[in-house]
């Protein structure tokens, strides 16, 4: 399962193995050039001697080359033969501004040997904005971006990153590495936001209240420390020697599309052709129960005539009912309506349309009114989200009439509360706290907090880091938010102290300028590469509690065939070893990985009530298209 594949201590031991990895030989070294030749003059002899002296000089002395580095490449993946090998004993890097995508991920003119960080490639005509590219010798050309997964090792004067493989650069001095990281972050900012990384532009992008986001090294982390102190006083601490032990594995009746975990007796596997009921136990989910076949009465949401697998399910009314929402089709993620399934009878009892002021509208996502709302036996409302809409829907019929399913005109849900924004919000995802406050993630990376009382104006709007937020979750108490982007997770502390000295969350008031810098959760470059070129972070979630005073202990997300688990307490600890000597936002690379044979559909922790005495956490459930597995986090290694 979890492993650290980076083999961080094997760089220097591989110097003699360069010849074994001929794919990465210098492109300029043709077979004819490698043949020995007789020098034609004493000048040639002297030149060759100087070259030899440079080649074999000690790594502790800086060579006479601008931006000089030693380049390594990792081979063998996660096999027993995996190792680092030297690709170039001496090369150099440069940051180049270009307009052309052709200048990335492939070899560029080898005559371009400039080491100037402000070097510009000349192109006759282009309407596209220029962007920064990192060049390393003749082997690496990549647009500077978060997908490179750059990880710094200050104590080793080293950085690792991904560009069609996993690479490491070793610097010849501490200052060389500091200068590289500084240049990389400036290029990353400009590529992300389209403006130069000046103090004025950072202020414009992040706003004056978010100075800590622009200058993390000067950030006040006291709110993280205060929250950590409160957490460590909790009787439910994460044990330091935890491990994962597989308990149950259950085959599905078809291709699983999503997982609906219950906090009571049952959970549900939503597949291509129906819903399979499974039982909840203290060590996981197990045992085949009833199967609801979609062919028996379930049609495309909104009264359509064709079947479509629901992309979103929502348990309600003490988990006796489930809402099923399907996309419209044609590549669109939005839905015009949903079906209401009675779990006890296994039948669709209602079909609803989304509408406002007599006009049919669409929804991108739905969620419960609060973290524990699915346990309420009388619940009849839920929340809806579209690109520029945030609202609450009410399923109670204003006329008190029972729906006739034979009537082709499906009833319209009642718009009970909400706001339709004019444009520009680009909402993507949302989640609720224990008291019903709402956090919303957007395409531009912004994360907005709405109180339980209003959906018209956000109490707090955290600026984006440049990557779209595709999924959000929030702790029961509203103090912590985790946002999912393709390349990293962003963890935000919502706590602040108001002018009266009272500690609040950003859901209940404007946070002012004492806002802590976020922390990022990332895969190390090798794991990122092993996860696959097209695999992205999906659906990061906290472990599941629905009671005041209970604390979430872990964060889990999926990346391809990986289920990745972070210790929440460790991530919040400012003295954690990952954060030592880091430049920029603090990033945590300490996690466990559960590897499956197939791409993972969903990874989630069961409700806290299913934690047992010998485990500090409820079981983790991992669903792939053909089976579902459950794991307990044991106190034993």
């Amino acid at each position: 399962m979890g492993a650290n594949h980076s083999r961080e201590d094997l760089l220097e031991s591989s110097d003699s193995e360069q010849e074994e990895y001929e794919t990465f030989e210098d492109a300029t070294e043709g077979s004819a050039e490698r043949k020995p030749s007789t020098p034609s003059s004493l000048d040639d002899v002297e030149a060759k001697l100087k070259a030899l002296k440079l080649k074999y000089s000690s790594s502790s002395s800086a060579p006479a080359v601008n931006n000089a580095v030693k380049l390594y490449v990792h081979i063998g993946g996660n096999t027993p033969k995996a190792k680092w090998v030297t690709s170039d004993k001496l090369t150099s890097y440069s940051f180049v501004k270009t307009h052309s995508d052709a200048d990335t991920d492939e070899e560029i003119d080898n005559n371009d040997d400039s080491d100037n960080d402000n070097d510009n490639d000349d192109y006759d005509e282009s309407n596209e904005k220029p962007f920064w590219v990192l060049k390393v010798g003749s082997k690496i050309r990549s647009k500077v971006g978060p997908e490179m997964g750059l990880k710094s090792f200050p104590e080793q004067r080293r950085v690792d990153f991904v560009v069609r493989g996993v690479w490491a650069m070793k610097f010849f001095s501490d200052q060389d590495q500091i200068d590289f990281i500084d240049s990389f972050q400036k290029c990353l900012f400009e590529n992300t936001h389209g403006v130069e990384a000046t103090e004025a532009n950072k202020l414009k992008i992040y706003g004056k209240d978010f100075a800590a986001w622009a200058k993390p090294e000067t950030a006040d982390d006291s709110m993280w420390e205060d929250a950590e102190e409160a957490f460590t006083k909790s009787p439910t601490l994460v044990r330091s020697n935890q491990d994962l032990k597989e308990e149950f594995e259950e085959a599905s009746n078809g291709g699983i599309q999503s997982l609906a975990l219950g906090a009571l007796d049952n959970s549900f596997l939503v597949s291509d052709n129906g819903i399979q009921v499974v039982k909840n136990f203290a060590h996981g989910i197990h045992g085949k129960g009833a199967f609801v076949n979609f062919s028996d009465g379930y049609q495309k949401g909104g009264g359509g005539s064709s079947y479509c697998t629901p992309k979103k399910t929502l348990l309600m009314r003490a988990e006796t009912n489930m809402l099923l929402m399907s996309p419209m089709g044609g590549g669109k993620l939005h839905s015009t309506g949903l079906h209401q399934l009675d779990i006890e009878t296994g039948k669709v009892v209602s079909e609803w349309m989304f509408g406002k002021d007599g006009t049919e509208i669409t929804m991108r996502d739905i969620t419960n009114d609060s973290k524990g709302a699915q346990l309420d036996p009388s619940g009849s409302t839920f929340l809806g989200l579209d690109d520029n809409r945030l609202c609450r829907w009410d399923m109670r019929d204003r006329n008190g009439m029972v729906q006739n399913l034979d009537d082709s005109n499906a009833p319209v849900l009642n718009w009970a509360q909400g706001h339709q924004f004019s444009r520009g919000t680009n909402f993507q995802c949302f989640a609720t706290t224990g008291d019903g406050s709402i956090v919303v993630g957007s395409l531009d990376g912004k994360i907005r907090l709405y109180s339980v009382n209003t959906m018209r104006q956000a109490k707090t709007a955290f600026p984006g880091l440049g990557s779209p937020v595709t999924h959000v979750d929030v702790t029961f108490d509203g103090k912590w938010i985790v946002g999912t982007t393709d390349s990293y997770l962003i963890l935000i502390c919502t706590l602040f102290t108001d002018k009266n000295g009272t500690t609040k969350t950003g859901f209940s008031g404007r946070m002012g300028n004492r806002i802590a810098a976020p922390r990022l959760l990332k895969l190390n470059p090798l794991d990122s590469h092993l996860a696959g070129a097209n695999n992205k972070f999906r659906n990061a979630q906290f472990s599941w509690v629905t009671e005041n005073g209970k604390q979430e202990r872990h964060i889990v997300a999926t990346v391809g065939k990986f289920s990745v688990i972070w210790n929440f307490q460790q991530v919040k600890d400012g003295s954690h070893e990952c954060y030592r000597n880091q430049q920029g936002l603090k990033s945590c690379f300490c996690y466990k990985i559960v590897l499956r044979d197939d791409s993972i559909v969903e990874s989630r922790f069961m409700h806290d009530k299913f934690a047992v005495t010998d485990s500090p956490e409820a079981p983790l459930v991992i669903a792939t298209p053909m089976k579902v597995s459950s794991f307990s986090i044991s106190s034993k290694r």
Side-chain angles (χ1 to χ4, degrees):
M1 282 177 280
N4 186 348
H5 304 291
S6 62
R7 299 180 179 240
E8 298 163 6
D9 57 340
L10 298 184
L11 288 183
E12 293 301 335
S13 64
S14 61
D15 288 356
S16 63
E17 301 177 27
Q18 181 177 5
E19 290 74 21
E20 297 181 14
Y21 199 66
E22 295 180 356
T23 305
F24 288 90
E25 289 177 347
D26 289 339
T28 56
E29 294 181 355
S31 58
E33 293 175 317
R34 289 197 292 268
K35 292 180 180 179
S37 59
T38 303
S40 59
S41 68
L42 290 176
D43 291 339
D44 290 340
V45 173
E46 184 177 1
K48 289 184 178 294
L49 287 173
K50 288 181 178 179
L52 287 172
K53 182 179 179 181
L54 175 63
K55 182 175 181 181
Y56 295 107
S57 61
S58 169
S59 62
S60 62
S61 60
V65 177
N66 289 336
N67 300 331
V69 292
K70 198 171 187 177
L71 183 65
Y72 299 83
V73 65
H74 193 275
I75 63 172
N78 60 353
T79 68
K81 293 184 178 181
K83 60 185 175 182
W84 289 100
V85 298
T86 307
S87 177
D88 271 322
K89 290 187 177 180
L90 181 63
T91 187
S92 64
Y93 73 86
S94 62
F95 290 99
V96 178
K97 210 168 190 179
T98 179
H99 291 79
S100 174
D101 287 333
D103 205 17
T104 61
D105 295 327
E106 61 183 35
E107 217 168 85
I108 303 176
D109 185 359
N110 290 320
N111 293 324
D112 180 10
D113 294 323
S114 172
D115 294 312
N116 186 348
D117 282 2
N118 292 317
D119 185 22
N120 290 274
D121 286 357
D122 293 326
Y123 291 86
D124 294 335
E125 293 182 359
S126 176
N127 294 322
E128 297 181 2
K129 288 186 177 181
F131 55 87
W132 287 102
V133 169
L134 170 64
K135 299 183 180 182
V136 186
S138 62
K139 300 175 182 177
I140 296 173
R141 307 292 187 272
S142 178
K143 182 177 180 180
V144 175
E147 60 277 356
M148 292 180 67
L150 190 81
K151 181 180 181 182
S152 176
F153 302 87
E155 67 283 356
Q156 299 183 45
R157 298 199 305 268
R158 164 190 168 193
V159 295
D160 291 6
F161 55 93
V162 179
V163 179
R164 294 174 292 111
V166 186
W167 304 84
M169 288 197 304
K170 184 99 170 177
F171 300 88
F172 290 90
S173 74
D174 293 341
Q175 189 59 47
D176 287 347
Q177 184 186 28
I178 292 172
D179 292 343
F180 172 84
I181 296 295
D182 184 60
S183 296
F184 184 91
Q185 290 181 340
K186 288 178 179 178
C187 293
L188 178 61
F189 181 91
E190 187 167 343
N191 281 356
T192 300
H193 300 289
V195 293
E196 190 178 347
T198 63
E199 295 303 317
N201 284 335
K202 288 181 180 180
L203 180 63
K204 187 181 299 183
I205 294 294
Y206 295 121
K208 64 179 181 179
D209 290 341
F210 295 88
W213 295 47
K215 282 189 172 183
E217 62 277 4
T218 63
D220 179 4
D221 275 355
S222 60
M223 283 302 171
W224 288 82
E225 294 166 3
D226 290 347
E228 175 64 23
E229 181 181 356
F231 182 78
T232 55
K233 291 178 180 178
S234 167
T236 55
L237 290 177
V238 178
R239 298 175 186 174
S240 60
N241 61 342
Q242 65 191 8
D243 203 351
L244 296 175
K245 181 182 178 183
E246 188 166 0
E247 296 287 348
F248 294 132
E249 184 172 280
E250 188 75 62
S252 74
N253 288 7
I256 298 176
Q257 297 293 315
S258 63
L259 178 67
L261 286 184
L264 299 176
D265 295 333
N266 301 315
S267 288
F268 309 88
L269 309 179
V270 182
S271 62
D272 290 329
N273 53 5
I275 298 175
Q276 178 179 333
V277 183
V278 290
K279 294 291 185 180
N280 292 332
F281 295 95
H283 290 287
I285 63 175
H286 186 53
K288 295 181 181 179
F291 186 83
V292 179
N293 197 316
F294 285 150
S295 62
D296 298 334
Y298 176 71
Q299 295 177 332
K300 188 174 178 180
S305 59
S306 60
Y307 158 75
C308 187
T309 304
K311 75 177 181 69
K312 182 70 178 184
T313 59
L314 202 64
L315 289 170
M316 292 188 68
R317 298 180 178 174
E319 301 179 357
T320 61
N321 279 237
M322 180 185 292
L323 301 183
L324 309 171
M325 190 172 81
S326 298
M328 296 166 58
K332 295 183 179 180
L333 298 177
H334 306 72
S335 301
T336 56
L338 49 77
H339 290 78
Q340 180 182 349
L341 174 72
D342 186 314
I343 294 172
E344 295 176 336
T345 63
K347 295 182 179 180
V348 173
V349 295
S350 298
E351 184 176 359
W352 301 92
M353 297 291 294
F354 297 123
K356 185 178 186 298
D357 300 330
T359 303
E360 180 183 275
I361 63 175
T362 60
M363 288 283 108
R364 170 184 285 272
D365 199 4
I366 55 175
T367 196
N368 294 110
D369 284 335
S370 66
K371 281 280 186 186
Q374 71 188 60
L375 302 176
D376 181 0
S378 61
S380 295
T381 61
F382 62 95
L383 300 177
L385 184 81
D386 206 34
D387 294 358
N388 297 307
R389 299 184 186 101
L390 177 61
C391 63
R392 177 172 282 107
W393 294 108
D394 194 332
M395 300 167 63
R396 290 168 291 193
D397 195 305
R398 289 174 178 170
N399 300 318
M401 296 175 61
V402 177
Q403 180 186 173
N404 180 7
L405 287 181
D406 293 330
D407 187 344
S408 60
N409 296 318
V412 177
L413 287 159
N414 298 318
W415 177 290
Q417 180 188 5
H419 187 66
Q420 185 162 313
F421 300 87
S422 58
R423 57 184 174 83
T425 52
N426 289 315
F427 293 151
Q428 297 290 297
C429 49
F430 67 154
T432 52
T433 66
D435 68 359
S437 299
I438 307 167
V439 53
V440 183
S442 301
L443 188 65
D444 59 4
K446 287 185 179 179
I447 293 178
R448 297 172 172 89
L449 310 186
Y450 294 86
S451 75
V452 67
N453 298 318
T454 179
M455 299 179 188
R456 178 174 291 273
Q457 186 172 12
K459 290 290 185 180
T460 302
F462 294 101
L465 296 179
S467 298
V469 175
T470 60
H471 188 270
V472 288
D473 195 23
V474 59
T475 56
F476 184 83
D477 57 19
K479 295 178 180 178
W480 306 94
I481 294 167
V482 61
T484 305
T485 75
D486 289 351
S487 304
Y488 57 84
L489 310 182
I490 178 171
L491 183 65
I492 295 174
C493 177
T494 70
L495 293 172
F496 75 101
T497 302
D498 68 12
K499 60 183 179 181
N500 298 320
T502 303
T503 300
K504 297 180 177 180
T505 72
F507 291 99
S508 59
R510 298 194 175 277
M511 296 180 68
N513 59 9
R514 194 165 179 255
I515 299 174
R519 292 182 183 170
L520 306 182
L521 311 185
K522 300 178 180 179
L523 292 182
N524 69 50
L526 182 55
D527 285 335
S528 178
H529 179 62
L530 294 175
N534 297 319
N535 289 320
K536 304 169 182 177
F537 274 116
R538 292 188 298 107
N539 299 351
Q541 291 181 292
F542 293 101
S543 49
W544 187 15
V545 300
T546 58
E547 294 181 39
N548 284 319
K550 290 290 186 75
Q551 292 289 334
E552 292 82 355
R553 303 181 184 92
H554 291 88
I555 298 170
V556 62
T558 62
V559 186
K561 297 179 181 180
F562 292 167
S563 179
V564 190
I565 306 154
W566 277 269
N567 180 321
F568 188 27
Q569 181 184 2
Q570 187 179 63
V571 171
K572 291 187 290 184
D573 183 2
S575 62
H576 175 45
E577 61 182 8
C578 271
Y579 304 142
R580 294 175 188 169
N581 302 315
Q582 280 197 8
Q583 293 173 252
L585 292 174
K586 292 180 178 178
S587 299
C588 182
F589 297 88
C590 289
Y591 47 78
K592 291 180 179 292
I593 285 179
V594 180
L595 174 64
R596 300 285 79 185
D597 294 330
D598 202 354
S599 291
I600 294 174
V601 173
E602 196 160 0
S603 300
R604 288 186 58 189
F605 282 100
M606 296 180 68
H607 190 274
D608 184 69
K609 66 180 283 186
F610 294 105
V612 292
T613 55
D614 64 344
S615 174
E617 183 65 276
L620 173 69
V621 179
I622 301 177
T624 63
M626 298 310 297
K627 63 184 179 181
V628 59
S629 305
S630 304
F631 297 82
S632 287
I633 297 182
S634 171
S635 60
K636 301 177 182 179
R637 285 194 179 276

